[in-house]
């Protein structure tokens, strides 16, 4: 079966920056599963996955506009420090340059700490990978038809997908 709209594909990926350094990898973890054609993954990655089948391996390099968008200057917000999550350990303190997770009405998003204060922290709300040229090495593991429920929810269920 080929990847197309209303299919769920499982894949492993290694994400590299322009210098070839690995930024993220799903190897050793669960593969990622997504519902094709539902804006579940980056536009450029979804396009490259179209028509691929289980066992296919490929690399795709995405310009920022096909990945996380261009970086916008001065896209900063002040948020209460207690709203930041993701400290590496309980006694660690937020420092400039660290990446934190904040919960918004649109769901979780990653932000970069710019400046810390006692109660408020200034964060850059650009996605951390905005403005970067990214290469994905992808291995497609499985392709199957989506269930009616997955199509209705707009996301994949099961291993690597949305857990309810
Ligand atoms: Zn669901």
């Amino acid at each position: 079966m080929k990847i197309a709209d209303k299919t769920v594909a499982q894949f492993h990926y290694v994400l590299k920056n322009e210098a070839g350094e690995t930024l993220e990898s799903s190897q050793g973890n669960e593969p990622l599963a997504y519902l094709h054609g539902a804006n579940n993954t980056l536009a450029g990655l979804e396009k490259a996955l179209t028509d691929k089948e289980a066992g296919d391996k490929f690399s795709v390099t995405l310009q920022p506009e096909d990945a996380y968008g261009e970086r916008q200057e001065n896209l900063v917000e002040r948020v209460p420090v207690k709203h930041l999550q993701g400290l590496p350990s309980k006694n660690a303190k937020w420092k400039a340059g660290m990446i934190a997770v904040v919960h918004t009405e649109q769901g979780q998003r990653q932000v970069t700490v710019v400046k810390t204060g006692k109660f408020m922290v200034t964060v850059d709300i650009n996605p951390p990978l905005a403005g970067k040229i990214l290469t994905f090495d992808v291995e497609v593991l499985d392709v199957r038809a989506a269930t009616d429920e997955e199509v209705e929810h707009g996301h994949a269920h099961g291993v690597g997908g949305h857990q309810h």
Side-chain angles (χ1 to χ4, degrees):
M1 180 176 262
K2 290 185 174 179
I3 298 176
D5 285 357
K6 296 188 181 176
T7 62
V8 169
Q10 255 183 19
F11 65 93
H12 271 305
Y13 71 96
V14 178
L15 168 59
K16 292 175 186 159
N17 64 14
E18 237 182 324
E21 296 161 338
T22 297
L23 302 176
E24 282 175 29
S25 172
S26 66
Q27 299 289 348
N29 292 310
E30 277 184 357
L32 218 68
Y34 80 101
L35 174 64
H36 193 83
N39 292 322
N40 282 182
T41 188
L42 297 173
L45 184 58
E46 186 163 60
K47 195 170 159 214
L49 280 156
T50 305
D51 285 335
K52 296 290 193 292
E53 301 178 89
D56 283 350
K57 290 182 184 180
F58 65 93
S59 286
V60 60
T61 296
L62 304 183
Q63 299 301 313
E65 64 264 30
D66 294 321
Y68 291 93
E70 295 293 352
R71 215 174 166 80
Q72 296 179 51
E73 293 305 321
N74 301 317
L75 202 57
V76 295
E77 274 181 18
R78 273 162 62 79
V79 297
V81 64
K82 63 183 178 186
H83 287 188
L84 299 187
Q85 292 184 355
L87 269 181
S89 72
K90 219 177 163 186
N91 297 322
K93 289 222 164 69
W94 291 109
K95 288 194 192 103
M98 288 172 85
I99 291 177
V101 173
V102 291
H103 293 266
T104 69
E105 282 170 12
Q106 290 83 41
Q108 288 190 1
R109 68 189 296 170
Q110 287 187 313
V111 299
T112 307
V113 175
V114 177
K115 202 172 141 219
T116 56
K118 198 162 181 305
F119 301 108
M120 300 293 282
V121 177
T122 304
V123 295
D124 182 329
I125 61 173
N126 280 293
L129 295 174
K132 294 200 159 72
I133 295 170
L134 301 172
T135 296
F136 287 86
D137 295 337
V138 176
E139 180 183 2
V140 179
L141 302 174
D142 184 63
V143 186
R144 62 170 169 83
T147 64
D148 290 345
E149 196 185 35
E150 287 173 322
V151 172
E152 199 182 305
H153 288 194
H155 55 229
H157 293 156
V159 173
H162 204 93
Q163 317 282 349
H164 290 278

